Amino acid sequence: MNATASVTPLSNARSATPAPGPSVVDEWGRDQATVDVLEPFVRLRFHVRSTGLEHLPDEGGALLVSTNRRWSWDPMVAAFEITRRTSRTVRVAGRSDRAPGGAALRRLGGILARPDEVATALDEGDLVMVAASPSVAQRRAGGVDHRLLAPAIERGLTILPLAVLSSPLRRRVRMTIGEPVRAGSRRRGPLADVERADATRARLDEMLTEVAASMRRGSSWRA
Amino acid sequence: MPAAGRRVLVSGVGGELGSLTASLLEDEPWVSSIVGIDADPPRRRLRRTEVHVVHPSDRERIVDTVERFDPHVLVHLAVWEPEARANSSIAPLLTHQAATAFLGAAAECPSMEAVVARSGIEVYGRRPGAPTRPDEDSRLDPTTAYGRSLFELEHAATSLGASAGVRVARLRLASVVGPHLPSPLGRLLRQPVVPFSLMSDSPFTVVEQIQAARSFVAAACARYDGALNVVAPGAITLYQALRRGRRIPMPLLGPEWFIARRVSHLFGAPIPDHVMEVIHRGRLADGGRLAAALGVRSTTTAAEVIDRLHAWPSVIRVRTPSEALAS
């Protein structure tokens, strides 16, 4: 009997070898390739001047609490700027969980505004940014959700206030990161989180006033 | 390391994962004898595993075999993923029948020390607002038939642990894909033209079968008690997976999915609801606890698992004996 193999390979146009190079998202769905593509456009639209980046830890997790002016993209713009200046990934808590908006923000590093999401990201050593509630007044920060601060407090991680002064129509954006917000009391219960959130909001108000005053004086900002 | 001379029962030994786990258990010094039960014979050669081919509906025979063997450890892998080896209507029933028979029989065995049950990250569900990367402490809220089936299995295993006083490890696996593995997600990804959601293209993760099998062996050896996520590091979106495999992506927006599912079914790759959920909502999980608990660490990323799936040739040329001798 002729024992020639009866099965022959299909003339398949597709190679068995995987295509090299296509990027993949990280474990949260953030796509560095998308961030890299958008980054020049963000710089074209916003001219950001930042100070206080030295307060960011070189490694390990930290929580940034950002101001959030209504109709602005302040937290996202700040996240782009921090990543550009420090090469550290910033996860912004507060994306929607509905497509297509939520899916697009996830590609840029957005996570849900849930304490467990914030906790997991902090455990992995990421910088996590939570935004205050949207505020209409330029020099007033909105309320800070103490539940989102709790994971950082439990882990003894740094909480940094981040004031952003921007206008929906103008290109100039001023951003400053303040010194870490310390615990004002020795409370151990849930009030510790609430009081730290209040202290952070108060500090953000002060920082917004300081930034606005320095802009009026025309002081130079490090680009 | 547990004391030597332990008897291990592997349910679902006929599947790829079951037979691979059994073959790894055969090399464990603490395992004295292994019995495997499944509706199908094993897919690889097992040297010292005694295999019984029994359908999950034949409860009496399963209970009789398990009680006579009186195992110390039950590795319960008899789980049917919809549209993998059974269709969507039968798979939950088979999983339920197997869980009832094996876990019920295990509760009657006087030597029983530990159960390691196969579950999946589908138990967390992907309801809007659900955590992006749930860890083992996250709330279980399954949103698909497969997820609910696994949730019931976990509940039955946990109840057994409480009533019989045995340790119960629940290993929640991401989709196990790879060469030779019957998987609806794997089949979909290997089609020449693959639909994906233009609106979301959400990230998901998978796991390689060898990592899953090693996790089962490690959990059995450690007598682990609790839940663990077993996922490959990293994530990938469906579009990225298709590009890596040089498949033709077909972007879909919404209503046309109804037709796409039926066409895909016609071409041999049915899309059950838990795979539809992966496509639209993604499926990730935090697998950080596995390494700390069992020392099992995977270096194969989700993208590499997908690459190996695509590298599996559609047709493998069978060499004749004369060709084999000549080479």
Side-chain angles (χ1 to χ4, degrees):
Chain A
M1 190 178 119
N2 186 358
T4 309
S6 58
V7 183
T8 50
L10 290 173
S11 55
N12 198 338
R14 298 185 307 277
S15 165
T17 320
S23 69
V24 290
V25 293
D26 73 7
E27 294 189 337
W28 289 93
R30 181 180 184 272
D31 190 350
Q32 187 60 46
T34 306
V35 173
D36 290 343
V37 166
L38 281 181
E39 211 266 333
F41 294 99
V42 173
R43 289 178 68 186
L44 196 67
R45 168 65 183 82
F46 300 102
H47 178 63
V48 185
R49 285 188 172 182
S50 53
T51 54
L53 291 168
E54 67 276 8
H55 297 308
L56 291 170
D58 293 333
E59 56 186 24
L63 187 74
L64 292 144
V65 183
S66 161
T67 54
N68 183 17
R69 196 170 178 207
R70 196 176 291 277
W71 314 121
S72 78
W73 287 82
D74 289 351
M76 267 300 172
V77 172
F80 266 97
E81 177 67 7
I82 292 169
T83 300
R84 186 177 73 85
R85 297 284 298 273
T86 66
S87 302
R88 291 201 64 184
T89 299
V90 182
R91 308 215 182 269
V92 183
R95 74 169 174 89
S96 146
D97 200 20
R98 302 273 181 193
L105 288 176
R106 172 155 60 184
R107 289 294 181 93
L108 303 179
I111 59 174
L112 300 178
R114 293 176 53 120
D116 52 356
E117 298 250 310
V118 172
T120 309
L122 288 173
D123 285 341
E124 290 176 355
D126 292 330
L127 295 176
V128 179
M129 187 187 294
V130 299
S133 56
S135 163
V136 180
Q138 195 181 25
R139 293 178 205 174
R140 296 283 295 173
V144 176
D145 187 346
H146 65 91
R147 291 166 299 185
L148 298 178
L149 267 56
I153 295 170
E154 283 167 14
R155 288 158 177 77
L157 295 173
T158 310
I159 297 175
L160 297 160
L162 167 65
V164 185
L165 214 59
S166 70
S167 159
L169 302 176
R170 298 178 71 177
R171 188 165 172 253
R172 281 197 315 172
V173 176
R174 299 288 184 265
M175 174 192 119
T176 184
I177 299 172
E179 291 179 357
V181 181
R182 310 278 175 203
S185 64
R186 291 186 178 178
R187 294 192 196 279
R188 288 179 297 181
L191 278 179
D193 306 346
V194 178
E195 289 184 358
R196 191 81 77 93
D198 291 344
T200 307
R201 182 182 182 177
R203 181 72 192 115
L204 286 171
D205 283 343
E206 289 170 14
M207 288 168 65
L208 284 172
T209 308
E210 288 166 13
V211 172
S214 68
M215 283 177 76
R216 272 201 308 275
R217 285 196 304 270
S219 65
S220 62
W221 286 65
R222 191 174 57 196
Chain B
M1 180 78 68
R6 305 285 99 175
R7 294 181 295 276
V8 182
L9 175 76
V10 182
S11 66
V13 76
E16 273 291 322
L17 183 58
S19 57
L20 184 58
T21 305
S23 70
L24 293 178
L25 282 167
E26 288 182 342
D27 296 332
E28 290 290 310
W30 56 274
V31 178
S32 67
S33 54
I34 308 171
V35 161
I37 303 178
D38 201 345
D40 303 306
R43 290 167 178 242
R44 53 170 52 77
R45 183 175 174 176
L46 298 171
R47 287 170 284 115
R48 60 188 188 99
T49 303
E50 182 186 319
V51 177
H52 298 254
V53 178
V54 188
H55 195 269
S57 61
D58 194 351
R59 193 173 70 236
E60 283 183 14
R61 211 176 133 206
I62 290 173
V63 172
D64 183 50
T65 309
V66 174
E67 286 185 342
R68 271 194 289 113
F69 183 55
D70 187 21
H72 295 96
V73 178
L74 164 63
V75 180
H76 184 62
L77 301 171
V79 169
W80 278 261
E81 182 182 358
E83 306 296 355
R85 286 196 292 162
N87 68 37
S88 294
S89 57
I90 297 171
L93 177 67
L94 294 172
T95 303
H96 173 74
Q97 286 175 337
T100 308
F102 285 103
L103 298 175
E108 306 301 325
C109 295
S111 301
M112 182 59 64
E113 295 169 357
V115 173
V116 185
R118 184 219 197 282
S119 183
I121 58 174
E122 288 81 1
V123 291
Y124 298 115
R126 291 294 298 128
R127 216 174 280 284
T132 311
R133 291 181 61 211
D135 64 12
E136 291 81 353
D137 299 327
S138 298
R139 196 165 74 92
L140 304 187
D141 184 16
T143 42
T144 60
Y146 184 41
R148 284 186 286 275
S149 182
L150 294 170
F151 178 76
E152 284 173 18
L153 170 64
E154 279 203 22
H155 180 69
T158 312
S159 304
L160 159 71
S163 61
V166 299
R167 291 169 166 264
V168 177
R170 289 157 284 143
L171 300 192
R172 295 172 182 156
L173 274 54
S175 288
V176 187
V177 297
H180 307 288
L181 265 167
S183 154
L185 181 62
R187 276 193 216 111
L188 177 72
L189 290 172
R190 282 177 57 83
Q191 295 219 90
V193 181
V194 185
F196 77 99
S197 171
L198 187 65
M199 299 291 275
S200 59
D201 191 31
S202 299
F204 63 94
T205 191
V206 289
V207 65
E208 201 177 23
Q209 59 169 334
I210 185 67
Q211 194 203 348
R214 282 190 189 128
S215 304
F216 280 103
V217 174
C221 180
R223 307 287 194 268
Y224 187 78
D225 196 3
L228 287 171
N229 293 336
V230 184
V231 301
I236 192 166
T237 70
L238 193 59
Y239 177 73
Q240 289 169 343
L242 304 183
R243 281 196 60 201
R244 293 181 83 89
R246 294 185 176 146
R247 265 52 187 175
I248 300 168
M250 185 168 66
L252 297 182
L253 283 169
E256 62 273 31
W257 273 104
F258 179 80
I259 300 163
R261 284 180 80 174
R262 270 139 194 84
V263 171
S264 183
H265 198 150
L266 207 64
F267 282 92
I271 310 176
D273 61 348
H274 66 283
V275 175
M276 278 296 281
E277 196 175 62
V278 168
I279 294 168
H280 290 289
R281 303 269 307 137
R283 197 180 307 285
L284 301 171
D286 180 11
R289 203 176 289 178
L290 179 73
L294 301 179
V296 178
R297 210 172 251 104
S298 173
T299 51
T300 310
T301 63
E304 287 165 344
V305 175
I306 297 293
D307 287 347
R308 286 175 193 178
L309 174 77
H310 287 305
W312 183 30
S314 298
V315 173
I316 298 169
R317 184 177 165 83
V318 180
R319 289 197 304 175
T320 62
S322 53
E323 284 173 335
L325 283 171
S327 64

